[in-house]
Amino acid sequence: MEEKNYEKIIEAILFTMGESVTLEQIAAALELDKNETKKHIEALQAYYQENNRGIAIMELDGAYQMCTNTDMYEYLIRIAKQPKKRVLTDVLLETLSIIAYKQPVTRVEVEKIRGVSCDHAISKLVEYNLVCELGRLDAPGRPLLFGTTEEFLRSFGVHSIDELPVLNPVQLEEFKQEVEEEIHVKLDV
């Protein structure tokens, strides 16, 4: 392997790993001794510093990690403080509505209502801080119980779950009939 490629390889390793990588690990990957490997790492560190790059390579107790140049922190903070746009797909809205109306509810109960796996949807709703774990059900396996959060209330403009719209019995019966018709159509096909 040509010597000029070693620094590219080191850069790729550190970028991809995202955490610190020991000198021994890098040397083994390059099939070089530790002293030669260290020279290439130091050359790469110097390159970043001399060219005023936005990234740097830090040495952490005999290991190396690619990180942001400290001069860039103020710009990262600006990005981090920007509100994140949440996209609530139909699947997420359906899962959220089941949790909101049935809380506290287990994942299995939500899946029974929806008829499909809800792992991803519940994880996303937890990530968006619209749903949280409320505890565990006192049953075999001790499944997690989920419910809505204060962020859910803020996002949907209600003060409590008691303010959620209630379906009138006529609408509920119409929805049940539509679902039953869909099931029969799918079974006939």
Side-chain angles (χ1 to χ4, degrees):
M1 193 174 290
E2 295 178 33
E3 187 168 317
K4 66 181 177 180
N5 288 329
Y6 288 132
E7 290 165 22
K8 285 172 63 174
I9 295 167
I10 293 166
E11 186 175 52
I13 289 170
L14 296 178
F15 177 79
T16 303
M17 297 309 293
E19 55 189 37
S20 63
V21 182
T22 66
L23 179 61
E24 291 80 11
Q25 290 172 311
I26 298 170
L30 297 176
E31 298 178 336
L32 293 175
D33 65 50
K34 289 193 283 187
N35 289 333
E36 189 67 23
T37 301
K38 190 169 174 81
K39 287 180 186 174
H40 289 292
I41 293 170
E42 288 171 349
L44 194 53
Q45 285 174 312
Y47 169 80
Y48 288 141
Q49 190 169 7
E50 290 166 9
N51 290 287
N52 199 25
R53 305 301 304 172
I55 56 175
I57 297 175
M58 287 182 56
E59 182 177 357
L60 306 163
D61 197 25
Y64 296 89
Q65 182 172 6
M66 188 172 281
C67 61
T68 305
N69 185 326
T70 56
D71 296 345
M72 301 295 112
Y73 287 170
E74 71 176 277
Y75 302 102
L76 296 175
I77 290 169
R78 289 179 194 167
I79 292 291
K81 284 186 176 180
Q82 287 181 359
K84 294 180 176 90
K85 183 179 178 189
R86 298 184 204 139
V87 178
L88 292 179
T89 63
D90 290 344
V91 170
L92 292 179
L93 282 172
E94 184 178 312
T95 305
L96 181 59
S97 64
I98 293 168
I99 293 170
Y101 280 96
K102 297 286 188 179
Q103 64 183 307
V105 63
T106 66
R107 178 188 50 80
V108 173
E109 292 170 318
V110 174
E111 289 174 350
K112 187 176 179 182
I113 294 168
R114 287 203 59 236
V116 293
S117 175
C118 296
D119 286 336
H120 177 73
I122 291 174
S123 294
K124 272 293 183 202
L125 293 170
V126 169
E127 179 185 324
Y128 292 166
N129 193 29
L130 296 172
V131 168
C132 67
E133 296 174 6
L134 297 177
R136 293 191 173 271
L137 184 64
D138 192 18
R142 309 238 333 122
L144 288 170
L145 290 167
F146 294 96
T148 55
T149 63
E150 287 182 2
E151 182 63 27
F152 166 81
L153 298 175
R154 269 191 295 280
S155 296
F156 289 90
V158 293
H159 295 97
S160 76
I161 56 170
D162 297 331
E163 293 182 17
L164 293 176
V166 178
L167 291 174
N168 69 43
V170 174
Q171 282 180 313
L172 193 57
E173 192 55 41
E174 288 174 5
F175 289 151
K176 283 181 183 177
Q177 286 176 357
E178 286 178 22
V179 169
E180 287 173 4
E181 288 173 13
E182 276 188 39
I183 290 171
H184 289 298
V185 169
K186 287 181 182 178
L187 292 176
D188 292 340
V189 175

